[in-house]
Amino acid sequence: MQPRTPLLLCVLLSQVLLLTSAEDLDCTPGFQQKLFHIDQPAQFIEDQAILNLTFNDCKGNNKLHYEVSSPYFKVNHDGSLVALKNISAVGKTLFVHARTPHAEDMAELVIVGGKDIQGSLQVVDSDRPEGSKFRLTGKGVDQEPKGIFRINENTGSVSVTRTLDRETIATYQLFVETTDVSGKTLEGPVPLEVIVIDQNDNRPIFREGPYIGHVMEGSPTGTTVMRMTAFDADDPATDNALLRYNIRQQTPDKPSPNMFYIDPEKGDIVTVVSPALLDRETLENPKYELIIEAQDMAGLDVGLTGTATATIMIDDKNDHPPKFTKKEFQATVEEGAVGVIVNLTVEDKDDPTTGAWRAVYTIINGNPGQSFEIHTNPQTNEGMLSVVKPLDYEISAFHTLLIKVENEDPLVPDVSYGPSSTATVHITVLDVNEGPVFYPDPMMVTRQENISVGSVLLTVNATDPDSLQHQTIRYSIYKDPAGWLNINPINGTVDTTAVLDRESPFVHNSVYAALFLAIDSGNPPATGTGTLLITLEDVNDNAPFIYPTVAEVCDDAKNLSVVILGASDKDLHPNTDPFKFEIHKQAVPDKVWKISKINNTHALVSLLQNLNKANYHLPIMVTDSGKPPMTNVTDLRIQVCSCKNSKVDCNAAGALHFSATSVLLASLFSLACL
């Protein structure tokens, strides 16, 4: 609100009192007198002492520094306050801030009779209405955090009730007003900003660990490894948060105790030794641990410190080629065998966890048939030479391979592979007694089924790979599932001992399989196995048969169709369908049944009139299309049933009824038995 009188109101920062407790000490750091009253002279004379201030940090006042709230004054090192030029009006209050690395404090100078100048804080003059009171509001008073500040309602003195923390709240915006006895505002509110002056109460903290850096071995001096940065919660505009870095300890301290340097301002860690000393293969340990210290107050002894560990790994580069431990390796292998025959050993000084150490082997000569392969053992780095195609002693009893070894990673430009990166492997093939080999395998012949017993199918042929041993061979049957075959043990002639039947369960897809053995005269003897596949051609040796063989029909059926018959034949075409269906030797007077062709494999049996309830046997004759054809007669049992009220009764009412042909056949059978 606007003041009704020219009364001016201001609360001075000198009225802000820190209410803190301190232990009784022989020396109390700070100004020995904190409040001074100075009569306003007509003029402050340049360089003329106004008063003397006494500040003591109890440690010798080293690096004592003063700051004055007015730009027209300064405090000399001896504590004398002087004006920088002649000045007549400076306001009603001056503040002097003194600081050393060990302590800091503020003194207040009240100018009695001083005139207000632009930018100064105003105080209540003597014209304040009698009985009026001061009232303080704002954050820290009646707003959270409440109760930090209070004001003397009579004098306007503002005090603080507990310790302030700049890192929590750096400034407070308060408002001061005067009220009458009823609480009505007379003047104000006037803003009062309280600035919390920072103290160095926070240590630097490394917050981004773990700190791990890598540098390649042989890197030039001055190579940047990593950056270490710390955080200080104090005021970044003051030395309280001005950090400096240094290396407190290096482990190990070989080959130099000062392998690295840290930029004190940026925190960059760089190498300081020559590239020759930064050789991973000659270092006691390729891992270094540095204790890094960050200190505030720009690194002064009074600054607070924080530490962190920096781990620096000396990374390997491929500056050592792999070398075979010897120039020549020997190996022996039996002919016909496969697998690893020798392990080739190499040495490499590079880091075993990197591609600079891992070996890659190549056969560069002596392997035209690709009978050999070489692979790296990932644990030992050895080259495992294997036979992947069986070797034949009779073709070659010796093999010589030339093998080179390289690293997965390329070598550095100034290093190359030398003679030690190649080796020769001499392989001796041992002769073994190999089993005879049938040729061809499988052996295949084609014959008609039902050929006469004793028919010759073929003569098998097996040869002995051991041509230098001049061994003899005998033959025998190993597997003959149906027992149809015989083999001459001397010359290998195979003939039949039984009729070959294509429809046998031992024949699959018209093919019969048998296994034969060829045994040489070696010591011990060796055996070879050969397969004979006999394809059997079909002949018409199976008569067809009908299905089903039982049928039912109602005695009063309006539809006189009885059953649809199907026919099947185990033979193959053309010895199967089309089939011919007939009622076998039916007598003319008994013409009750009829059979009609439906298609090549099915026919319909039907009645020509209704029959009484009974069981009937009807002989059905079916003939295939083979040359010559084959015929089969099957009795079809037909039950004539009573079908009334949705109930079917097929129990025979009397004796079986037969067709005339059936009666005649039965009579002939009876006569034959007399």
Side-chain angles (χ1 to χ4, degrees), residues 320-469:
H320 294 87
K323 297 179 179 179
F324 283 102
T325 57
K326 52 187 178 181
K327 290 297 295 180
E328 294 185 348
F329 294 84
Q330 305 292 330
T332 58
V333 59
E334 291 184 347
E335 64 171 330
V338 295
V340 177
I341 58 174
V342 66
N343 290 322
L344 310 182
T345 53
V346 296
E347 294 178 344
D348 195 316
K349 296 181 180 180
D350 291 312
D351 185 355
T353 64
T354 66
W357 179 81
R358 292 190 290 270
V360 178
Y361 297 87
T362 306
I363 302 173
I364 58 177
N365 195 13
N367 191 29
Q370 305 301 310
S371 298
F372 302 93
E373 287 184 359
I374 187 166
H375 300 281
T376 304
N377 185 319
Q379 282 73 43
T380 64
N381 217 28
E382 294 176 344
M384 301 182 296
L385 181 63
S386 302
V387 176
V388 293
K389 293 181 180 179
L391 303 177
D392 192 340
Y393 172 84
E394 284 70 31
I395 295 177
S396 177
F398 300 97
H399 297 268
T400 300
L401 305 180
L402 183 61
I403 297 176
K404 71 174 181 179
V405 60
E406 298 174 312
N407 288 131
E408 286 185 2
D409 293 345
L411 295 172
V412 296
D414 54 339
V415 177
S416 60
Y417 295 103
S420 296
S421 294
T422 59
T424 302
V425 182
H426 299 286
I427 302 164
T428 301
V429 182
L430 302 178
D431 187 24
V432 297
N433 187 20
E434 301 171 85
V437 178
F438 284 89
Y439 181 83
D441 190 25
M443 301 161 282
M444 293 181 285
V445 296
T446 300
R447 295 290 186 274
Q448 278 193 343
E449 63 174 333
N450 298 337
I451 60 174
S452 59
V453 175
S455 298
V456 175
L457 299 179
L458 82 163
T459 298
V460 300
N461 180 35
T463 58
D464 191 343
D466 302 302
S467 57
L468 303 179
Q469 298 183 23

